[in-house]
Amino acid sequence: MAVLILADHDNETLNDQTAKSVTAAKAMGGDIHILCAGSGCSGVAAQAAKLDGVAKVLCASDDAYGHDLAEPLADLIVSLAGDYEHLVGGATTTGKNVMPRVAALLDTNMISDISAVESPDTFERPIYAGNAMAVVKCGDPKKVITVRGASFDATGEGGSAAVEEIAAVANPGLSEWVEDKVISSDRPELTSAKIVISGGRGMGSKENFEIIDKVADKLGAAVGASRAAVDSGYAPNDYQVGQTGKVVAPDLYIAVGISGAIQHLAGMKDSKVIVAINKDEEAPIFQVADYGLVADLFDAVPKLEAAL
Amino acid sequence: MKVLVPVKRVIDYNVKVRVKADQSGVDLANVKMSMNPFDEISVEQAIRMKEAGQVEEIVVVSIGVTKNQETLRTALAMGADRAILVEATDNAENDIEPLAVAKILKGIVEEEQPGLVLLGKQAIDNDANATGQMLSALLGWSQATFASKVEIEGDKATVTREVDGGLQVIKVNMPAIVTVDLRLNEPRYASLPNIMKAKKKPMDTKTPADYGVDVTPRLVTVKVTEPPARQAGVIVGSVEELVDKLKNEAGVI
């Protein structure tokens, strides 16, 4: 049996998550096929075909799939499911939206947000915001899975899989796209950035986040925030790192004015090197930091920017 | 319109969870339990819609142990009208899987005929983020997940969704399944008079068998372990020392 991976993309560029899902799929066994469903997405299919280990790319280009609406996408995946034992999506907002719908239509339970593949039917996944790790075994013939990007390295390029155009299936017409409000930024995307610098409640205001932005620009880093900072209106919600936001695992994570609530640690504790800057030396963030600096952030962060 | 709001009883989000020594799960003995925080947001949303005259009745449902009554009473005290308890297990450690929960909810939807089901986007215990999507699939309804804004006009709902990289606005046919994200609203606290009143609000008790659902888990939990701990690091004395360490010791900048 084979693995079908739902590609994450924006109709132009393949998201790095897909290459990470391929790495996870290699441990599941069987041929790896990628489904690129979108509108005018043949360029994405060509990118997916280059990923190492991919045997075939299915490209379904239709207006119904242009905006990742769950109902038509789930129906498309279910129509293809007969050939596959594993149906895999990224643990992105697209995968989380679509894959549980697929699972229910196939009458199998969802295996969400896996962090390791122990065997083709046994997977590790974080529960309780990563405060515990569960290993679960799925006896159902179909396994519907989302893959936590931060837990897998991206597979390399070098493949040359065949791309097969496939037809769209009937659109149930239950929902329609209205608009995207995407915040454009020159900075790297939070979940794929090599360096992330995040601010917490200690930042004190939206305006003060500017000192974080300056360091981010010098380092080519993405900017994140704790839930406390988002709740206080200092940063937009898509900056949020943590259990209820994004899970990141960059090479370097710099936490500024973040106390280190359980919910935040859940989103960043797999980072390779963690730096904490906080004036409270008792802050729990120091228990996970490789390098801690007990200092007033309004003094230390501009100094850091100057020193880089 | 009637709104159905499922609520889950979970370990309170402020409690540090402990993994049991036999690796069978997380210790729930003598631990504070509360309503799943995302479900509080969906209850609040339903109440605001009722206050705005868009909703006539709010029915809350909880699936689990007898003690889930407490969670339902909390929702009733916030402002829900009526509750359904589905006693699916006598042991709180038996988490009912999202697929089984969705099947039970499907049965309740067929009986109650709500125009909208509002669910939390995920439960903070199993973190599955699946029940709403599954219920939507089983009913063949539209789904709008991770909502930060919900506006209903006639037979359509316009929902702003929190997605990676920003927001997506979609329009879905009613009846619909909406799962809610953090920024939708800030849930209210129940006042003491409302807590007293909630005790008199109706609560039905059902079982999964009433809906023809088998709750036997489809996934077997092999083990539950502590995540690997990070080694304690060092406290540096200055920004200069920090930059030096990041450059020369860690090699990350």
Side-chain angles (χ1 to χ4, degrees):
Chain A
M1 288 294 264
V3 183
L4 182 68
I5 298 173
L6 174 66
D8 269 280
H9 64 86
D10 61 1
N11 294 313
E12 286 173 13
T13 311
L14 188 68
N15 186 304
D16 202 30
Q17 168 70 45
T18 309
K20 294 174 174 179
S21 297
V22 170
T23 302
K26 285 177 179 173
M28 295 174 196
D31 280 353
I32 298 171
H33 297 177
I34 293 185
L35 171 63
C36 290
S39 175
C41 61
S42 57
V44 177
Q47 293 164 43
K50 287 191 192 136
L51 292 176
D52 175 65
V54 175
K56 187 159 80 173
V57 175
L58 305 175
C59 179
S61 200
D62 190 281
D63 286 347
Y65 308 129
H67 300 286
D68 293 334
L69 292 174
E71 305 92 340
L73 212 40
D75 284 357
L76 175 67
I77 296 169
V78 169
S79 77
L80 301 167
D83 297 335
Y84 301 96
E85 181 176 348
H86 296 87
L87 299 149
V88 176
T92 56
T93 46
T94 300
K96 289 174 182 173
N97 189 31
V98 175
M99 299 314 286
R101 192 173 178 98
V102 171
L105 292 172
L106 296 172
D107 193 34
T108 183
N109 202 41
M110 184 66 212
I111 310 165
S112 303
D113 205 16
I114 63 164
S115 51
V117 180
E118 304 227 323
S119 76
D121 66 358
T122 307
F123 310 90
E124 179 198 71
R125 54 181 303 268
I127 54 173
Y128 291 93
N131 288 297
M133 305 302 289
V135 174
V136 295
K137 189 177 162 90
C138 175
D140 287 347
K142 303 277 181 209
K143 286 130 187 110
V144 182
I145 295 162
T146 52
V147 172
R148 171 172 283 210
S151 300
F152 295 89
D153 293 330
T155 202
E157 293 199 345
S160 56
V163 177
E164 185 184 319
E165 300 280 339
I166 59 166
V169 297
N171 183 352
L174 294 166
S175 57
E176 58 186 299
W177 171 81
V178 179
E179 64 173 321
D180 288 331
K181 294 176 182 170
V182 177
I183 297 136
S184 62
S185 166
D186 296 335
R187 298 205 184 92
E189 212 244 321
L190 200 50
T191 50
S192 56
K194 298 276 183 235
I195 303 176
V196 173
I197 176 165
S198 292
R201 202 199 304 268
M203 298 307 298
S205 76
K206 194 176 175 181
E207 291 68 35
N208 288 344
F209 252 79
E210 201 174 299
I211 61 173
I212 299 264
D213 293 344
K214 285 182 179 167
V215 177
D217 289 341
K218 279 228 170 149
L219 289 170
V223 177
S226 68
R227 177 170 165 188
V230 171
D231 282 350
S232 305
Y234 304 164
N237 189 56
D238 59 316
Y239 274 34
Q240 193 191 144
V241 172
Q243 177 191 9
T244 52
K246 295 196 173 93
V247 177
V248 301
D251 293 341
L252 172 61
Y253 187 89
I254 306 174
V256 180
I258 292 177
S259 64
I262 294 169
Q263 110 82 28
H264 185 74
L265 300 182
M268 46 65 82
K269 66 186 171 53
D270 293 330
S271 305
K272 289 196 179 72
V273 175
I274 296 174
V275 170
I277 301 173
N278 200 303
K279 65 182 175 193
D280 174 13
E281 60 184 295
E282 302 292 325
I285 190 78
F286 288 118
Q287 290 164 21
V288 301
D290 299 281
Y291 303 107
L293 178 62
V294 181
D296 181 350
L297 69 94
F298 297 108
D299 178 51
V301 175
K303 272 190 189 161
L304 176 62
E305 188 218 334
L308 291 168
Chain B
M1 182 174 66
K2 188 192 283 186
V3 176
L4 185 72
V5 186
V7 294
K8 187 172 186 183
R9 180 175 181 262
V10 298
I11 290 190
D12 187 87
Y13 74 100
N14 280 315
V15 171
K16 173 98 178 82
V17 301
R18 290 185 315 272
V19 170
K20 291 203 284 189
D22 66 359
Q23 300 193 336
S24 64
V26 161
D27 196 353
L28 297 183
N30 305 313
V31 169
K32 186 185 177 197
M33 305 293 281
S34 299
M35 190 190 302
N36 178 43
F38 289 104
D39 301 346
E40 289 185 326
I41 295 170
S42 49
V43 173
E44 176 67 32
Q45 179 64 21
I47 296 167
R48 289 188 188 190
M49 290 170 69
K50 191 178 174 193
E51 287 168 348
Q54 295 175 311
V55 165
E56 282 88 49
E57 189 184 28
I58 302 166
V59 180
V60 286
V61 53
S62 194
I63 299 166
V65 294
T66 310
K67 277 201 166 176
N68 285 37
Q69 284 173 353
E70 295 166 8
T71 315
L72 289 167
R73 291 285 172 210
T74 303
L76 293 171
M78 285 172 74
D81 298 298
R82 183 158 67 81
I84 301 168
L85 170 69
V86 181
E87 288 186 354
T89 174
D90 51 14
N91 182 353
E93 289 179 8
N94 298 335
D95 188 39
I96 310 299
E97 288 179 344
L99 183 63
V101 170
K103 286 178 178 179
I104 294 169
L105 292 176
K106 177 175 183 262
I108 294 173
V109 166
E110 284 165 355
E111 269 183 19
E112 296 283 341
Q113 300 285 320
L116 175 69
V117 185
L118 284 168
L119 304 94
K121 75 164 180 180
Q122 103 188 50
I124 61 164
D125 51 5
N126 67 29
D127 282 335
N129 192 333
T131 304
Q133 297 89 315
M134 288 183 148
L135 176 60
S136 174
L138 297 178
L139 290 167
W141 286 14
S142 61
Q143 79 179 48
T145 51
F146 325 142
S148 61
K149 194 174 178 191
V150 180
E151 290 168 313
I152 293 172
E153 282 171 50
D155 59 353
K156 303 263 182 190
T158 302
V159 179
T160 302
R161 305 178 57 233
E162 303 266 354
V163 297
D164 296 337
L167 300 170
Q168 182 190 50
V169 183
I170 62 171
K171 198 173 264 194
V172 298
N173 292 355
M174 298 291 279
I177 303 293
V178 174
T179 79
V180 307
D181 215 323
L182 278 179
R183 288 204 300 178
L184 182 61
N185 60 50
E186 206 162 307
R188 69 194 64 195
Y189 291 102
S191 66
L192 190 58
N194 285 342
I195 291 170
M196 300 311 287
K197 267 189 238 165
K199 290 181 179 166
K200 296 199 179 95
K201 289 184 178 177
M203 186 182 297
D204 279 348
T205 301
K206 301 276 192 177
T207 67
D210 292 335
Y211 305 100
V213 177
D214 176 5
V215 298
T216 308
R218 305 282 279 271
L219 294 181
V220 177
T221 299
V222 179
K223 62 175 179 180
V224 174
T225 55
E226 298 268 359
R230 283 189 79 93
Q231 295 209 322
V234 295
I235 294 291
V236 295
S238 68
V239 170
E240 292 71 26
E241 190 186 343
L242 175 64
V243 172
D244 176 65
K245 294 245 189 216
L246 291 177
K247 271 190 182 145
N248 302 317
E249 193 175 276
V252 287
I253 59 171

